[in-house]
Amino acid sequence: MRAMKIKHYPDDVSQNFLKLRNQLISATGKAIGDYNMIEEGDTVLVCMSGGKDSHAMLMILLALQERAPINFKLIAMNLDQKQPGFPADILPAYLEKLGVEYRIVEADTYSIVKEKIPEGKTTCSLCSRLRRGIIYTTAQQLGANKIALGHHRDDIVQTLFLNMFYGAKLKAMPPKLATNRGEFMVIRPLAYCAEKDIATYARGMQFPIIPCDLCGSQENLQRQKIKDMLNNWEREQPGRINNIFRAIGNVEPSHLADVDLYDFKHLSHAQADDEDPMFDHEKFASNDMALNIATQDEKRIEFARKSFPIAATTEE
């Protein structure tokens, strides 16, 4: 099931490029391992839009396939939704040259969406459902049990804010998701990869990029606003996007407000993991505190600073 040996990068790349490529491969491998995305004998349908992210995902998965201690199969898939201006010849020619197994799936979802959705209304919901059904049907026809999507770390964080701002829901994109009937597993191998790194990698690889804004959807406009906001934050405080992403995987249900997620109604005393260190009464009462009760009466309690002994020094 192993793929043929594929040339993974141009001849004239720099050492910095190779370092970046290795970092992306490592991050993708870690995400796959952390979430057990790919297992022995899997057939992975790699969804290719023709954008930088899906191109990068395919090449990184091919590199991992060559070095992995397990055997798994990759099938690249491109869905031609018959959007006006879509260059249908680019991906088949590229995938043929690359030498990977692939399928081009043609389905005129564009005319269906235009027919059903009034002018000016967002087309994303219907388009997404149609696209998802076609991908699942294709996976079934090809015997694929995993479906790989090219969403990266920044996509996941942007989706978190889109759902908060427009849906009042604390929800993002999980790195791994079972479909409703459990027939397939959707995986996002690039979940640990930053978009700027993928963009640099894609430029170095000289991928034949297909524009991803052909539909001009309302959701894309909203997502762009969220993206601009996050990028501004990142410029002000580098590392902020990564911290937000890490927070998605570091949740404390007892410090949110979802009564379905945490039993606040029957909360009488905290478990050890739920306690807030700000309200640690044992520590507050210990001799480690800098303030102690100095005076108290029926109307007032006053705390005063403790006197601390000055540490001895050997200096003259």
Side-chain angles (χ1 to χ4, degrees):
M1 293 178 67
R2 289 190 182 275
M4 58 182 284
K5 190 75 173 178
I6 290 173
K7 192 171 186 302
H8 289 283
Y9 49 83
D11 294 325
D12 56 349
V13 295
S14 66
Q15 286 300 311
N16 285 339
F17 174 85
L18 293 177
K19 181 180 178 181
L20 172 63
R21 174 181 178 269
N22 289 337
Q23 288 172 348
L24 288 170
I25 291 173
S26 177
T28 303
K30 179 168 173 48
I32 290 172
D34 285 351
Y35 293 93
N36 195 27
M37 293 185 189
I38 299 177
E39 302 171 88
E40 175 71 35
D42 279 346
T43 296
V44 184
L45 187 67
V46 183
C47 296
M48 298 284 295
S49 67
K52 67 183 189 315
D53 306 325
S54 60
H55 272 295
M57 175 176 64
L58 176 62
M59 289 304 300
I60 292 171
L61 287 177
L62 286 168
L64 287 169
Q65 186 184 46
E66 287 186 357
R67 64 181 71 176
I70 60 172
N71 291 293
F72 59 92
K73 183 179 181 180
L74 299 173
I75 305 175
M77 169 203 167
N78 171 245
L79 173 56
D80 179 357
Q81 297 179 261
K82 300 304 177 183
Q83 293 173 329
F86 182 77
D89 58 321
I90 290 181
L91 269 176
Y94 173 74
L95 295 171
E96 195 70 42
K97 182 179 178 181
L98 193 60
V100 300
E101 184 176 350
Y102 71 92
R103 296 292 189 282
I104 303 299
V105 180
E106 298 186 14
D108 188 0
T109 63
Y110 182 82
S111 64
I112 296 174
V113 169
K114 284 299 183 182
E115 177 185 324
K116 301 294 183 182
I117 304 297
E119 190 69 30
K121 298 294 184 179
T122 180
T123 61
C124 299
S125 178
L126 177 57
C127 183
S128 174
R129 288 201 304 273
L130 292 170
R131 186 170 63 246
R132 192 159 56 240
I134 293 164
I135 291 172
Y136 291 172
T137 301
T138 302
Q140 189 177 49
Q141 290 295 311
L142 297 176
N145 62 318
K146 301 286 176 68
I147 298 170
L149 304 179
H151 299 121
H152 45 66
R153 181 203 68 180
D154 299 50
D155 285 325
I156 293 171
V157 173
Q158 289 162 21
T159 301
L160 173 70
F161 281 92
L162 276 168
N163 283 320
M164 282 197 296
F165 290 175
Y166 299 102
K169 186 176 292 187
L170 201 59
K171 174 184 173 184
M173 292 175 173
K176 182 180 180 183
L177 176 70
T179 57
N180 290 343
R181 291 186 296 177
E183 191 172 0
F184 311 107
M185 197 69 67
V186 175
I187 60 174
R188 296 181 169 96
L190 301 183
Y192 289 174
C193 299
E195 182 177 21
K196 62 180 179 60
D197 293 337
I198 294 172
T200 301
Y201 170 70
R203 285 193 296 271
M205 289 296 297
Q206 303 168 18
F207 292 135
I209 302 297
I210 296 174
C212 59
D213 58 351
L214 292 173
C215 64
S217 69
Q218 185 63 32
E219 182 184 352
N220 286 344
L221 299 176
Q222 293 169 346
R223 183 174 288 273
Q224 186 59 49
K225 291 178 182 178
I226 297 292
K227 183 176 181 178
D228 292 342
M229 177 192 76
L230 290 168
N231 287 338
N232 286 335
W233 286 359
E234 186 72 16
R235 282 189 288 271
E236 293 171 6
Q237 182 182 330
R240 183 174 285 187
I241 292 176
N242 196 51
N243 283 345
I244 296 170
F245 175 78
R246 290 173 60 196
I248 297 172
N250 188 24
V251 178
E252 295 191 27
S254 65
H255 286 58
L256 296 175
D258 190 335
V259 295
D260 293 325
L261 197 62
Y262 188 82
D263 189 7
F264 291 101
K265 291 183 179 179
H266 298 95
L267 179 64
S268 58
H269 64 277
Q271 301 296 322
D273 292 342
D274 298 333
E275 291 180 351
D276 192 327
M278 290 181 64
F279 298 98
D280 187 343
H281 64 279
E282 292 183 2
K283 183 176 181 180
F284 185 81
S286 75
N287 292 328
D288 294 334
M289 293 298 298
L291 296 169
N292 275 351
I293 294 176
T295 62
Q296 61 176 312
D297 56 34
E298 294 181 355
K299 304 285 186 174
R300 184 184 300 272
I301 297 176
E302 180 182 356
F303 282 78
R305 290 182 60 179
K306 289 172 58 176
S307 60
F308 291 92
I310 299 175
T313 177
T314 57
E315 292 181 1
E316 295 293 329

